[in-house]
C-alpha cells in the first residue's frame, strides 16, 4: 500500500478552521477514503498533557524557548503515535495545526530565529512533511472578536493584538 496523504490546516486563533476541517473529513469519507482527524497541540494522551501545561493561563512565566520545545514535544509524540502509522497504512491524515503554527507563533510571534524553530522541529517531524497545507486567511481582529464571544481564553489567546498581528503576517509570509 502506498503512503497516504498528509493535510494540515493553519490560521490565526478563532479563524474558523475547525468547523471547515470537520466538513472536509465528512466529504472525504463520503468519497470512500479512510480519514484520521487530529489536532495540535494534542491528539495523544501524552500530547494532551503537554497541551494543558502550554495553554494554562497560570503558566504566565513560561519562556519562549520552553514553549517552542513543548510544542515540538507534543508534535513528536503525535507523529510517532498517530500520523506516521496512519500515513504508512495509506490513510488521509488531516491535522488541525502543525509545523507552520510553530513558525508563525514561536518564530514570527515570539521572535525565535526561524532556523532554530526548524532545527528543533526537524527531530519531531521525523521526515513527515505535509503534502497540502490550507491557510485560513482571517485577520486576528475579526477572528478574536468571534472567538471571545464563544469560549474562554487560554494563555496564547490572551496575548496582545500586536502578537496576533505578527503571527498573522508571519503566516502570510510562509
Ligand atoms: P487551540 O485552542 O487548539 O487553538 P485553535 O482552536 O485556534 O487552533 O490552541 C492552540 C494554540 O496554540 C493556538 O493559540 C496556537 C498555539 N500554537 C502555537 O503557538 N504553536 C504551535 O506549534 C501550535 C501547534 C499551536
Amino acid at each position: 500500500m502506498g503512503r497516504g496523504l498528509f493535510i494540515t490546516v493553519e490560521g490565526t486563533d478563532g479563524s474558523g478552521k475547525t468547523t471547515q476541517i470537520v466538513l472536509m473529513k465528512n466529504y472525504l469519507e463520503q468519497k470512500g477514503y479512510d480519514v484520521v482527524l487530529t489536532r495540535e497541540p494534542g491528539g495523544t494522551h501524552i500530547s494532551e498533557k503537554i497541551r494543558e501545561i502550554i495553554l494554562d493561563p497560570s503558566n504566565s512565566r513560561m519562556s519562549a524557548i520552553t514553549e517552542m520545545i513543548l510544542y515540538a514535544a507534543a508534535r513528536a509524540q503525535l507523529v510517532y503515535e498517530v500520523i506516521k502509522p496512519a500515513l504508512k497504512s495509506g490513510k488521509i491524515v488531516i491535522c488541525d495545526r502543525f509545523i507552520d503554527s510553530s513558525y508563525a507563533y514561536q518564530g514570527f510571534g515570539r521572535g525565535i530565529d526561524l532556523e532554530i524553530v526548524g532545527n528543533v522541529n526537524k527531530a519531531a517531524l521525523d521526515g513527515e512533511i505535509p503534502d497540502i497545507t490550507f491557510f485560513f486567511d482571517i485577520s486576528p481582529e475579526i477572528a478574536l472578536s468571534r472567538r471571545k464571544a464563544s469560549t474562554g481564553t487560554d494563555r496564547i489567546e490572551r496575548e496582545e493584538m500586536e502578537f496576533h498581528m505578527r503571527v498573522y503576517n508571519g503566516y502570510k509570509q510562509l
Side-chain angles (χ1 to χ4, degrees):
M1 189 179 290
R3 184 182 180 269
L5 188 72
F6 187 17
I7 302 171
T8 61
V9 185
E10 298 280 355
T12 49
D13 287 72
S15 58
K17 60 188 164 48
T18 309
T19 310
Q20 299 303 320
I21 287 169
V22 173
L23 294 172
M24 194 196 299
K25 175 179 187 274
N26 293 344
Y27 175 81
L28 290 168
E29 281 178 344
Q30 273 168 21
K31 295 266 172 188
Y33 293 103
D34 219 336
V35 182
V36 173
L37 178 57
T38 190
R39 70 158 182 185
E40 279 214 323
T44 74
H45 180 72
I46 293 169
S47 309
E48 291 289 338
K49 296 229 160 194
I50 298 172
R51 177 191 174 89
E52 281 171 29
I53 299 170
I54 298 173
L55 297 181
D56 185 345
S58 73
N59 286 335
S60 58
R61 294 180 61 217
M62 189 181 294
S63 85
I65 297 293
T66 304
E67 183 183 275
M68 173 189 66
I69 293 170
L70 285 176
Y71 277 115
R75 180 165 300 135
Q77 190 63 28
L78 183 67
V79 167
Y80 171 77
E81 238 183 84
V82 177
I83 295 174
K84 193 177 273 294
L87 291 174
K88 209 171 172 188
S89 64
K91 293 178 182 163
I92 295 180
V93 175
I94 307 173
C95 196
D96 188 344
R97 297 192 178 283
F98 198 60
I99 176 72
D100 287 319
S101 284
S102 283
Y103 283 124
Y105 284 80
Q106 282 65 56
F108 289 93
R110 301 282 189 221
I112 300 174
D113 192 321
L114 294 182
E115 209 178 309
I116 294 175
V117 177
N119 284 338
V120 167
N121 276 279
K122 198 166 182 238
L125 261 58
D126 193 20
E128 302 298 350
I129 295 160
D131 298 296
I132 306 169
T133 299
F134 291 101
F135 167 54
F136 280 72
D137 186 351
I138 313 260
S139 86
E141 282 103 343
I142 296 171
L144 283 171
S145 67
R146 243 195 236 163
R147 178 78 178 223
K148 280 206 182 86
S150 62
T151 48
T153 52
D154 63 42
R155 197 176 57 83
I156 305 290
E157 285 160 2
R158 285 178 186 207
E159 284 296 331
E160 69 220 346
M161 188 47 75
E162 286 98 278
F163 172 81
H164 290 286
M165 282 308 298
R166 283 198 300 277
V167 171
Y168 177 62
N169 290 323
Y171 265 130
K172 295 220 280 195
Q173 279 193 54
L174 290 169

